[in-house]
Amino acid sequence: MTHALQAIIEHYFPLDIVKTEPVPFGLTNTTCFVTVNDQKYVARHYDLYTKTPESLHLEMDVTSFLLRSNLSFNIPSFLPTQNGHLYVTLSDGSLGALVTFLQGTAPPIQTPDDAYLFGRVVGEVSARLSEYERPKNIKYDGIPFTNLYQLHPLATEEITASFWKKPPFPVTDEQKHYYNEALISVETNRKALLSLPLQLVHHDLLVFNLLSVDRCITGVLDFDFLAVDISFLEFVISLNHVLQMSGGSLEMSAAFIEGYASFRTLSSEELSQLRTLTRLYHIAVLHIYIGQNRAGKDISTAFAYIANQLIERDNWLERNEGHLRGLLAPYT
C-alpha cells in the first residue's frame, strides 16, 4: 500500500483496524481493497493529472443519480470521510476517496448469450445517462473524446506531435501510418461528428469495468471518463471490445447489437460515422497514454496494444462494414 493510499484511508477509519490488499488491475488510478470489521471497501488514489475536483464532483453527482434510478445492476457509492467531506485532498493536490465494494468478477464474453447481456448493460447505461440533467451548481461537463488534445494535460497537440516524431519506445511504421490516417479521417469528418446527438457518455464500458455473478452482469464500475460527448460513442467503444475479444465474430456482434437495441436505437447519420468514431476512440486512448508516458508511467505495452487494435479494427471494418450495417439496419 502506498503512502498516499494510507493517507486517504486514515481520513475514513483508524489505520489500526484496517486490513488492506492490493487490486491487481488499473493503469490510471492507484487502488486497494480495504476491510474494516468484515466490511469491504475500495480506496482510490486518483491520477494527479486526469482527476480534478470538478470531474470528481461530476462523477459523484452522476453516480448518485444512477443509484436513485431503477437499474438492473449495482454501482459503487462514495463514502463520506470521518469529518463529513466528500473526498480527500492530499498535499500534492491529488484526490482520494473510498467507495463501496461490489461482489463479482469480470463477465466472460465467450458466447452470444454473454454478448447479448453485455449489449443490454451498455444500452441500459446509455439510456439512463441520457436522462441525466446536470445541476446548476456543477459547471463541468467532462472532456469529450472529440477534444483530442485536452484529454490529458501532458498530451497537447505539440507534445503529441513530438511523441510521434521521436517515440520514447519502439513504435512501428505501420502504427504511425494508421494513426496518421485515422487522425486525418477524424479531422475531415469533424463537422459531421459534432452534428451527431450528444449526451453523457461513460466512455469505458469494457468487461474489466463490469462485475458478474453466475454469468449475470451485476455491477458497473469506473466512471472516471464521464463526459458529454457523441452519444453513439458508447455503442462504438463497447462493440469494438466485443470484436476484439471474439476475434471479429459477426455472430457475437449480432448478439451484442440485439442486447443494446433493448434500450437504444440509432440514426442513419450515426451509423454512417461508425468507422470514424472507432478511429476516434483509438486515437483518444493513445493520446491519454502519451500523457501518462509524459507523466512518467510505463505505458509501452498498453500503447502498443491499442495501436495494434486500431490497425486490426480498421482492417476488419474495411472488410465487414457492410455486414455490420446490415446487422444494425433493423434498429436504425
Side-chain angles (χ1 to χ4, degrees):
M1 180 174 61
T2 67
H3 290 300
L5 281 171
Q6 184 174 348
I8 291 164
I9 294 168
E10 65 183 358
H11 280 79
Y12 293 85
F13 301 106
L15 290 178
D16 59 355
I17 67 168
V18 167
K19 294 181 181 179
T20 64
E21 54 186 304
V23 176
F25 51 81
L27 184 61
T28 303
N29 303 314
T30 305
T31 57
C32 73
F33 293 129
V34 176
T35 302
V36 179
N37 298 327
D38 297 322
Q39 185 71 43
K40 204 167 187 178
Y41 307 92
V42 180
R44 296 179 182 169
H45 179 213
Y46 292 100
D47 184 273
L48 176 63
Y49 294 98
T50 58
K51 202 65 171 181
T52 63
E54 293 79 10
S55 64
L56 188 51
H57 285 153
L58 177 65
E59 180 181 349
M60 288 178 165
D61 194 67
V62 172
T63 53
S64 177
F65 162 77
L66 292 174
L67 286 165
R68 297 191 304 269
S69 304
N70 186 24
L71 301 172
S72 68
F73 50 82
N74 298 309
I75 62 170
S77 59
F78 286 85
L79 274 68
T81 68
Q82 294 181 71
N83 293 328
H85 296 145
L86 296 175
Y87 55 88
V88 176
T89 303
L90 299 181
S91 58
D92 65 351
S94 62
L95 308 175
L98 252 67
V99 299
T100 53
F101 170 81
L102 302 179
Q103 293 285 352
T105 57
I109 306 292
Q110 298 170 343
T111 69
D113 285 344
D114 296 334
Y116 174 83
L117 292 176
F118 180 35
R120 277 188 60 90
V121 167
V122 174
E124 184 176 357
V125 171
S126 182
R128 295 293 80 79
L129 289 180
S130 73
E131 299 168 353
Y132 173 77
E133 295 183 6
R134 177 171 53 80
K136 293 181 179 179
N137 65 319
I138 295 180
K139 309 296 184 183
Y140 182 77
D141 275 334
I143 303 174
F145 277 15
T146 48
N147 290 5
L148 288 170
Y149 301 106
Q150 298 175 26
L151 292 168
H152 194 289
L154 301 182
T156 62
E157 187 169 1
E158 182 181 1
I159 290 172
T160 302
S162 175
F163 172 92
W164 286 103
K165 186 176 182 179
K166 191 175 181 181
F169 47 79
V171 174
T172 68
D173 289 341
E174 185 182 31
Q175 290 169 343
K176 291 180 183 178
H177 170 75
Y178 273 85
Y179 168 83
N180 288 328
E181 289 297 308
L183 189 59
I184 291 170
S185 170
V186 168
E187 291 174 344
T188 301
N189 288 278
R190 175 167 289 275
K191 185 176 180 180
L193 292 177
L194 295 178
S195 70
L196 297 176
L198 302 176
Q199 69 162 74
L200 200 64
V201 176
H202 182 286
H203 283 121
D204 207 16
L205 287 176
L206 314 179
V207 296
F208 315 115
N209 290 326
L210 303 177
L211 296 171
S212 72
V213 176
D214 297 330
R215 298 186 89 96
C216 178
I217 297 175
T218 56
V220 174
L221 312 173
D222 200 351
F223 290 79
D224 255 357
F225 293 105
L226 277 171
V228 174
D229 206 344
I230 297 168
S231 174
F232 194 47
L233 259 176
E234 201 83 275
F235 171 88
V236 168
I237 291 168
S238 298
L239 174 65
N240 175 77
H241 192 53
V242 171
L243 290 168
Q244 189 68 21
M245 298 192 74
S246 67
S249 167
L250 284 169
E251 181 185 16
M252 295 284 279
S253 301
F256 171 82
I257 291 166
E258 183 183 354
Y260 176 85
S262 302
F263 290 91
R264 301 302 302 263
T265 58
L266 62 145
S267 68
S268 57
E269 291 80 11
E270 289 172 319
L271 181 54
S272 69
Q273 295 297 333
L274 188 149
R275 189 174 182 184
T276 305
L277 287 171
T278 303
R279 289 167 168 168
L280 171 67
Y281 163 63
H282 287 95
I283 295 170
V285 176
L286 290 173
H287 282 198
I288 292 169
Y289 284 160
I290 289 170
Q292 289 180 341
N293 173 78
R294 189 84 170 189
K297 292 185 178 181
D298 179 10
I299 51 82
S300 55
T301 300
F303 186 93
Y305 177 81
I306 295 298
N308 290 333
Q309 190 180 113
L310 167 61
I311 297 169
E312 180 181 338
R313 189 62 51 244
D314 208 56
N315 287 330
W316 187 93
L317 285 171
E318 185 175 11
R319 297 190 305 269
N320 296 282
E321 193 168 9
H323 296 296
L324 200 54
R325 285 174 180 267
L327 294 175
L328 286 162
Y331 310 108
T332 303

